[in-house]
Amino acid sequence: MDATTRPIGGLSLLWQLMRAPNRNRADLFYEFMGTSNRMAEDCTYLNCGYWAGTTDYRQAAQALVDVLADAAGIEAGDRVLDAGCGFGDQDAHIARTRQTSRILAVNVTPTQIATAQQTNAAPGVEYRLCPATRIAEPDGSFDAVISLEAAFHFDTRETFLREALRLLRPGGRLGIIDLVPLERDGRVDTGGLRGNFDRWAGQVPPANVYGATRYRELLQEVGFEAPVLRSIREQVFPGFRRHIKAMARDPLAKQRMHPMIRLGLRFADIDPYAASDYLVVSARKPG
């Protein structure tokens, strides 16, 4: 697949989403994104980045992957499941830096899987087209399960957590980087009408709309132990927003974007994350 493929257009995306209002179609959202609407010229990362000590997008994106790998305690020789792998940049990076024995990276978007197989192939890494909630692997197949900015799409996040618990060996580790509504004074801020629209456009199931408190409870209800949820929104959102604003001023960056995304860049001064928290989640399967 060509490195700048854009498989579906904006009107086609809107039509298909309207035809399936009760189905989660995160795959359509990312097919629309294609490969041309990327955050930088030198990588296909899509994450928001961890901006402590850097202003370079690729460095920030890789630093965020390191935060995730640390949260999951990934070590040499580990078998890792990556749920929602995007274009696979993080899997090639983890395989190289952590010397894993196996990474199974799954995704529901054909364009992203095809691109990952083409551009981010690495020893021991397999890219597979399948949902994160139904993975054809035996119980206890993995030492670590990770997910980077994807679990909010899963239908549902709870179903994924139960699948992750099944797939982990006893004592295996879970690491997730996730976006949730921000909690203020004990109340979950869902963002009002704009929040509802953003979640529909980004295909976030209503069942996944809860804050950190409910997230921790859910991990324990599913069967995980020692859950830790840590907000890093201040290390992520300000730097990412600066990067987006820089893209909005860069003619070359705008040229590679879909017209609908170029339109969105005109509103780069509006904070889309004002009601969002950004969590590093870790937990362990008993045993």
Side-chain angles (χ1 to χ4, degrees):
M1 187 167 291
D2 184 83
T4 57
T5 297
R6 188 185 293 124
I8 63 175
L11 291 178
S12 177
L13 170 69
L14 182 63
W15 172 244
Q16 292 184 64
L17 290 178
M18 292 178 68
R19 288 178 62 196
N22 297 317
R23 294 174 56 200
N24 177 257
R25 294 305 309 270
D27 59 323
L28 291 178
F29 177 80
Y30 287 104
E31 285 289 353
F32 164 73
M33 290 290 290
T35 56
S36 61
N37 298 294
R38 57 191 183 274
M39 295 294 104
E41 284 285 357
D42 60 348
C43 66
T44 51
Y45 281 113
L46 292 174
N47 71 59
C48 291
Y50 187 81
W51 296 86
T54 186
T55 58
D56 177 78
Y57 175 75
R58 182 172 185 170
Q59 290 179 9
Q62 286 186 341
L64 189 65
V65 175
D66 292 333
V67 170
L68 176 61
D70 288 342
I74 296 176
E75 301 175 342
D78 275 353
R79 303 159 300 163
V80 179
L81 169 68
D82 180 13
C85 65
F87 294 113
D89 299 71
Q90 68 257 28
D91 302 297
H93 178 72
I94 290 172
R96 182 177 66 254
T97 59
R98 305 281 169 144
Q99 289 84 52
T100 49
S101 64
R102 181 195 184 199
I103 297 179
L104 173 60
V106 303
N107 201 304
V108 295
T109 307
T111 297
Q112 292 189 336
I113 286 293
T115 303
Q117 290 169 338
Q118 212 174 52
T119 63
N120 282 308
V125 179
E126 174 193 351
Y127 297 105
R128 183 186 300 178
L129 185 68
C130 79
T133 53
R134 299 188 306 277
I135 298 172
E137 291 286 325
D139 295 1
S141 293
F142 298 97
D143 303 292
V145 172
I146 60 173
S147 182
L148 175 57
E149 283 188 20
F152 53 85
H153 286 305
F154 298 158
D155 195 11
T156 61
R157 187 190 280 121
E158 178 179 353
T159 306
F160 161 67
L161 292 175
R162 295 187 184 279
E163 183 73 338
L165 189 74
R166 179 185 74 81
L167 290 168
L168 282 168
R169 63 163 174 80
R173 291 96 55 197
L174 176 72
I176 303 174
I177 287 181
D178 212 347
L179 282 87
V180 299
L182 192 63
E183 292 186 17
R184 292 187 172 100
D185 300 321
R187 186 179 66 87
V188 177
D189 185 352
T190 59
L193 289 175
R194 173 172 178 170
N196 290 336
F197 175 79
D198 288 346
R199 284 187 289 274
W200 173 77
Q203 290 297 280
V204 176
N208 294 347
V209 183
Y210 46 79
T213 299
R214 176 58 187 151
Y215 206 138
R216 181 180 288 102
E217 294 171 348
L218 187 57
L219 286 163
Q220 294 171 320
E221 290 171 11
V222 166
F224 285 98
E225 63 181 19
V228 176
L229 288 78
R230 176 169 61 97
S231 176
I232 57 169
R233 70 188 310 270
E234 297 306 318
Q235 291 77 40
V236 174
F237 292 148
F240 186 59
R241 289 194 64 217
R242 284 192 295 271
H243 179 68
I244 295 299
K245 290 179 181 180
M247 289 177 61
R249 298 189 298 268
D250 183 347
L252 292 178
K254 289 192 290 186
Q255 185 177 3
R256 68 173 180 262
M257 297 292 175
H258 188 280
M260 287 180 64
I261 295 179
R262 288 203 299 270
L263 178 63
L265 288 175
R266 295 183 183 180
F267 304 95
D269 287 333
I270 299 175
D271 185 1
Y273 304 111
S276 297
D277 207 350
Y278 195 92
L279 300 178
V280 180
V281 179
S282 60
R284 185 173 62 249
K285 180 174 180 175

